[in-house]
């Protein structure tokens, strides 16, 4: 597969609407960090050295970087110590403030920035000992996607700008620090930890966690980090991760990041998982005790090809990360757990997609794969659409060309563009040339432009047949009509149970809800996905017996996937609005700033975000 010119792949990336940097003129190629973690003040004292490469002639007179709520103390030539002039621009909504460094003469090759983060930095969550499992030590973790890296590192916070990085992290005695990088010469007794990432990555994939953390190997190249009380449960839950790596290598080529470890974070982590290279960050809500929710791990692993290896160049191209990854995740589930399970998961995802597209609150423009996010927070584009519509588009290609041909195309695509960033326009040129062979008629017949640039769901959506899923739906219909529950089998998988719950009508009577909870004890489920689906019914129908479980759920974890629909449902039901505010007043200090911003908007809360 021939490579496209860099100008085409990165078309428009120099004008990334979510970055104030100037990568079209000068680019950082390496980042060296020296970070001191200050738990008492909830700040990081940092020094960042950026190695620069001129991208324009004549060389640009200044370097522009992204910052948000950073206190910059000094900027200098890292080689000589000579002070460099700098200025912070006015705050820009969603983006923060531009840091402009005058490079001067002689022109520095490395620029050093000494700075301090804010206690309310949007990427950082500082947890008190009481918010951890053991209660002995505080905990810190980062979440930099989409544009939160700038709140703890002065950087060009655009997915089109990739650098290698190294770091020295200084933590309080007794703590362990981990990063999305290789471990070097640690000095744990002194609280000094060293890391290095030799592959160029965008800033949003730089990640850090520190606290009371243990480790258990799962294979020669995989392992799990977690708080000590959680470690054994996590290791058992994620026992199949090496099989996942091997399965994905068979499909799409070698794993290029040397190790794939996972850290199970405290419950306030706002996502199911975050694909930080070499070290996936995961929510403890994946630990169901039966390995039934590990498809999320398959998703994060798939990002090691789609997202980390070849990355969306802007956040409007987000589907290139998530749509591809959701497709590959499903292929991994099929490899490991069988086609029937994989097809049921496709149907669950397609149901979520239809609900999103038909939701009156969804803007029509937000149902496009390539989305216009100018003037908006890129987190607005983090919803089911890029995941499920993107994966559905690839299934249309699979149906047209066959799996072997599509797999060859994808493998060649990852190989040819490894460690680079990609625009939608660049990908479509590659697709037209290397999969369609330039056949304009086939391109039109496949509806490629409609899938990528059109609104809604094209009628060429491929819906897989599933007898097992049909039985779950039929059981839901039978229950709604007659109250019979004999169609619900005790040996159903999580996917089948979700198919049943999600197929129930929105309006249920108190007697129906009592019957379901009495028969299946949904309010006591230890499976977060099943409990979430049940609690949505409870909120919509004001089923008060489930409210203690609802409160425990919302105050015991901070995963945005669950918070957003539940708080929205409570806010839309006049009978649960007061309950929503009461629970949120209690839970808000424990949520990550990203989750706080989401729920604040739903409930109309005003105040500083941060847990």
């Amino acid at each position: 597969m021939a490579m496209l010119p860099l100008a085409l792949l990165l078309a428009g990336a120099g004008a990334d609407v979510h970055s104030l940097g100037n990568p079209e003129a000068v680019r950082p190629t390496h980042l060296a960090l020296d970070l001191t973690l200050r738990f008492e003040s909830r700040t990081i004292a940092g020094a960042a050295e950026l190695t620069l490469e001129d991208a324009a002639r004549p060389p640009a007179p200044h370097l522009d970087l992204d910052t948000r709520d950073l206190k910059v103390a000094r900027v200098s030539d890292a080689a000589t110590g000579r002070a460099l002039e700098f200025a912070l621009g006015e705050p820009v909504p969603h983006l923060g403030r531009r840091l402009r460094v005058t490079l001067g003469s002689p022109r520095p090759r490395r620029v050093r920035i000494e700075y301090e983060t804010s206690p309310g930095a949007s990427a950082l969550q500082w947890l008190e000992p009481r918010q951890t499992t053991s209660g002995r030590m505080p905990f810190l973790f980062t979440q930099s996607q989409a544009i939160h890296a700038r709140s703890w590192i002065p950087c060009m916070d655009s997915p089109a700008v990739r650098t290698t990085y190294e770091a020295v992290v200084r933590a309080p005695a007794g703590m362990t620090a981990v990063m999305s990088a290789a471990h070097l010469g640690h000095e744990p007794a002194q609280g000094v930890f060293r890391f290095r990432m030799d592959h160029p990555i965008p800033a949003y994939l730089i990640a850090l966690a520190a606290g009371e953390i243990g480790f258990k190997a799962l294979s020669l190249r995989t392992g799990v980090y977690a708080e000590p009380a959680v470690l054994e449960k996590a290791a058992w839950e994620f026992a199949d991760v090496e099989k996942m790596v091997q399965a994905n290598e068979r499909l799409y080529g070698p794993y290029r990041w040397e190790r794939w470890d996972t850290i199970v974070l405290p419950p306030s982590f706002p996502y199911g998982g975050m694909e930080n290279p070499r070290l996936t960050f995961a929510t403890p809500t994946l630990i169901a005790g039966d390995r039934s929710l590990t498809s999320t791990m398959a998703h994060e692993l798939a990002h090691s090809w789609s997202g980390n290896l070849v990355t969306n160049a802007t956040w409007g191209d987000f589907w290139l990360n998530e749509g591809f990854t959701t497709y590959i995740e499903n292929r991994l589930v099929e490899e490991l757990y069988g086609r029937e399970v994989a097809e049921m998961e496709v149907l669950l995802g397609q149901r979520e997609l239809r609900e999103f597209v038909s939701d009156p609150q969804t803007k029509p423009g937000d149902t496009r794969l390539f989305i216009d996010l100018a003037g908006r927070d890129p987190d607005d584009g983090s919803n089911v659409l890029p995941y499920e519509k993107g994966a559905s588009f690839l299934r249309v290609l699979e149906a047209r060309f066959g799996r072997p041909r599509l797999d060859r195309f994808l493998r060649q695509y990852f190989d040819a563009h490894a460690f680079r960033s990609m625009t939608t326009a660049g990908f479509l040129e590659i697709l037209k040339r290397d999969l369609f062979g330039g056949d304009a008629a086939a391109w039109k017949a496949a509806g490629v432009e409609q899938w990528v640039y059109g609104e809604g769901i094209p009628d060429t959506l491929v819906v897989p047949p599933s007898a097992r899923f049909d039985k779950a739906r039929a059981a839901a219909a039978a229950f709604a009509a007659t109250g019979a529950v004999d169609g619900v089998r005790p040996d159903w998988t999580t996917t089948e149970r979700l198919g049943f719950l999600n197929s129930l009508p929105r309006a249920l009577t108190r007697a129906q809800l009592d019957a379901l909870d009495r028969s299946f004890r949904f309010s006591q489920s230890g499976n977060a996905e099943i409990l979430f689906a049940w609690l949505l019914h409870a909120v919509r129908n004001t089923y008060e017996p489930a409210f203690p479980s609802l409160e425990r759920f919302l105050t015991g974890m901070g995963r945005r996937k669950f918070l957003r629909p539940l708080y929205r449902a409570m806010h839309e039901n006049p009978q649960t609005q007061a309950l929503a505010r009461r629970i949120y007043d209690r839970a808000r200090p424990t949520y990550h700033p990203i989750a706080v911003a989401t729920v604040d908007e739903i409930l109309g809360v005003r105040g500083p975000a941060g847990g």
Side-chain angles (χ1 to χ4, degrees):
M1 178 181 288
M3 294 180 68
L4 290 183
L6 186 62
L8 178 57
L9 298 184
L10 299 182
D16 183 346
V17 297
H18 293 114
S19 176
L20 301 171
N22 60 338
E24 74 288 349
V26 58
R27 283 179 173 252
T29 59
H30 182 72
L31 171 66
L33 295 168
D34 193 321
L35 306 173
T36 300
L37 311 184
R38 296 173 171 174
F39 282 83
E40 298 80 4
S41 60
R42 297 191 168 202
T43 61
I44 296 176
E49 289 189 7
L50 294 93
T51 301
L52 304 180
E53 176 182 87
D54 287 323
R57 291 287 181 269
H62 56 262
L63 167 70
D64 289 342
L65 301 173
D66 293 298
T67 75
R68 181 189 289 144
D69 299 326
L70 295 183
K71 300 175 183 176
V72 179
R74 188 172 188 271
V75 182
S76 61
D77 182 329
T80 66
R82 173 175 59 92
L84 300 176
E85 293 183 10
F86 69 92
L88 285 167
E90 291 299 312
V92 179
H94 309 302
L95 304 186
R97 302 173 70 183
R98 180 185 65 197
L99 172 62
R100 172 160 289 181
V101 178
T102 301
L103 296 174
S105 182
R107 190 176 181 81
R109 183 171 179 270
R110 290 182 296 120
V111 169
R112 177 181 173 87
I113 302 164
E114 297 167 32
Y115 67 96
E116 183 179 354
T117 64
S118 161
S122 62
L124 306 179
Q125 184 160 32
W126 304 87
L127 300 177
E128 299 175 9
R130 63 179 175 81
Q131 296 173 290
T132 66
T133 305
S134 70
R136 287 192 291 264
M137 288 186 181
F139 204 102
L140 166 68
F141 64 85
T142 66
Q143 172 55 39
S144 294
Q145 192 184 52
I147 57 170
H148 301 283
R150 65 192 66 183
S151 73
W152 68 290
I153 303 169
C155 60
M156 288 192 186
D157 198 4
S158 167
V161 179
R162 311 175 74 102
T163 69
T164 53
Y165 84 89
E166 61 186 288
V168 177
V169 178
R170 307 174 195 278
M175 281 193 175
T176 297
V178 293
M179 292 192 78
S180 55
H183 295 244
L184 300 181
H186 296 330
E187 299 176 65
Q190 284 70 47
V192 177
F193 299 85
R194 297 180 178 85
F195 306 92
R196 185 175 181 90
M197 169 55 72
D198 288 327
H199 301 300
I201 62 173
Y204 80 88
L205 292 176
I206 302 174
L208 165 68
E212 186 182 16
I213 300 171
F215 175 78
K216 185 167 184 176
L218 300 176
S219 72
L220 290 177
R221 59 176 170 176
T222 66
V224 61
Y225 292 92
E227 294 182 80
V230 180
L231 185 58
E232 290 300 324
K233 293 179 182 178
W236 186 89
E237 201 80 23
F238 301 147
D240 288 339
V241 295
E242 176 61 34
K243 294 178 184 177
M244 290 181 183
V245 180
Q246 293 174 10
N248 214 65
E249 288 183 317
R250 289 193 296 271
L251 289 170
Y252 302 117
Y255 181 78
R256 297 176 183 240
W257 304 91
E258 293 83 42
R259 289 195 61 83
W260 182 39
D261 295 321
T262 299
I263 179 169
V264 179
L265 292 171
S268 58
F269 182 58
Y271 295 108
M274 178 62 210
E275 64 272 16
N276 303 309
R278 295 182 62 105
L279 185 64
T280 286
F281 280 23
T283 169
T285 62
L286 300 182
I287 302 176
D290 59 4
R291 297 176 182 155
S292 61
L293 300 180
T294 53
S295 61
T296 296
M297 294 304 296
H299 185 93
E300 303 313 324
L301 170 64
H303 269 304
S304 298
W305 284 260
S306 51
N308 296 1
L309 196 62
V310 184
T311 308
N312 50 229
T314 75
W315 295 110
D317 304 301
F318 190 44
W319 75 278
L320 293 177
N321 277 24
E322 297 299 352
F324 281 53
T325 297
T326 301
Y327 173 81
I328 296 171
E329 168 200 340
N330 191 252
R331 294 291 303 280
L332 285 176
V333 168
E334 181 176 328
E335 287 277 315
L336 294 172
Y337 308 116
R339 186 157 192 148
E340 282 187 317
V341 174
E343 287 176 340
M344 287 191 291
E345 292 201 354
V346 169
L347 292 169
L348 279 178
Q350 289 181 347
R351 177 187 174 279
E352 287 186 67
L353 176 62
R354 290 190 187 94
E355 284 194 341
F356 177 81
V357 170
S358 62
D359 190 326
Q361 293 192 23
T362 299
K363 300 173 183 176
D366 288 352
T367 65
R368 300 185 179 106
L369 282 180
F370 181 65
I371 184 174
D372 180 9
L373 289 168
R376 300 169 64 187
D377 189 326
D379 285 342
D380 290 349
S382 181
N383 53 54
V384 70
L385 193 287
Y387 294 74
E388 295 297 340
K389 187 176 179 181
S392 294
F393 171 53
L394 291 180
R395 291 187 196 102
V396 168
L397 298 179
E398 177 190 300
R400 171 168 285 273
F401 294 103
R403 273 191 178 179
R405 188 169 170 184
L406 180 62
D407 284 347
R408 284 195 302 273
F409 166 78
L410 290 175
R411 182 165 182 163
Q412 291 169 353
Y413 168 72
F414 295 137
D415 286 344
H417 306 289
F419 305 111
R420 305 183 79 189
S421 298
M422 179 70 64
T423 63
T424 295
F427 171 73
L428 292 185
E429 285 295 318
I430 295 166
L431 183 70
K432 183 180 294 184
R433 182 191 66 200
D434 295 331
L435 188 61
F436 283 83
D439 187 335
W443 181 266
K444 184 176 181 180
V448 174
E449 305 286 338
Q450 182 186 10
W451 272 98
V452 176
Y453 298 117
E455 297 173 357
I457 306 172
D459 56 13
T460 51
L461 177 75
V462 177
V463 181
S466 174
R468 287 170 62 179
F469 211 71
D470 289 344
K471 289 178 180 178
R473 288 169 169 163
F479 173 79
T482 69
V485 296
D486 53 331
V488 181
R489 295 178 53 85
D491 60 347
W492 270 1
T493 64
T494 293
T495 310
E496 286 166 297
R497 288 179 179 272
L498 289 173
F500 170 79
L501 283 168
N502 291 339
S503 298
L504 292 171
R506 289 176 70 97
L508 294 166
T509 66
R510 171 67 181 263
Q512 288 175 314
L513 291 163
D514 279 339
L516 287 172
D517 213 10
R518 184 170 57 249
S519 297
F520 307 114
R521 297 180 61 81
F522 286 134
S523 293
Q524 283 72 49
S525 177
N527 183 307
E529 294 284 351
I530 290 173
L531 182 58
F532 163 69
W534 168 249
L535 291 174
L536 269 181
H537 285 298
V539 170
R540 288 166 177 164
N541 293 282
T542 321
Y543 183 59
E544 294 182 356
F547 287 179
S549 179
L550 173 68
E551 184 161 0
R552 286 193 299 272
F553 190 60
L554 290 175
T555 58
M557 64 85 214
R559 189 174 173 186
R560 202 172 69 139
K561 172 185 177 180
F562 301 144
L563 300 184
R564 183 161 46 185
L566 285 171
Y567 277 111
R568 179 179 165 188
M570 284 193 287
H571 185 64
E572 291 174 347
N573 180 353
Q575 294 177 282
T576 56
Q577 288 177 353
L579 176 66
R581 289 303 297 264
R582 180 173 65 79
I583 292 176
Y584 189 47
D585 286 345
R586 178 182 165 198
R588 189 177 189 267
T590 71
Y591 290 163
H592 189 279
I594 292 172
V596 168
T598 297
V599 183
D600 278 0
E601 184 176 2
I602 292 170
L603 300 184
V605 174
R606 294 291 175 264

